[in-house]
Amino acid sequence: QVQLVESGGGLVQAGGSLRLSCAASGRTFSSYVMGWFRQAPGKEREFVAAITWSGGSTYYADSVKGRFTISRDNAKNTVYLQMNNLKLEDTAVYYCAANVRSPYINRRPVAYDYWGQGTQVTVSS
């Protein structure tokens, strides 16, 4: 069993920055792929970014490339999402997720086995 707890969400003006954190407990955090997803009201959950167990490979949705950075600290069992130059369309609930079955990055939500409860990010004009 893996428990994931996100933090760091909040209200920010367009152009501002936030850093989300996801603390993991339970199984061996350093052995699996971690991802960030988001879901806006009335929309499907969408992929944002993912990182391999070592942090050696990352992958981003086109909509956040160049603005968001995913990273991880395996010693702290934590994955981060640094979000810069936030836009109104970034408003959503952000979820972290763990894929314990495969070492490869996957954009599909169904590939992830464990999910956090989500943290709200609201970008205002």
Side-chain angles (χ1 to χ4, degrees), residues 94-115:
Y94 283 72
Y95 299 89
C96 71
N99 177 355
V100 304
R101 290 172 287 160
S102 170
Y104 304 109
I105 287 177
N106 196 309
R107 300 169 54 115
R108 299 176 302 145
V110 295
Y112 291 77
D113 307 286
Y114 299 96
W115 293 82

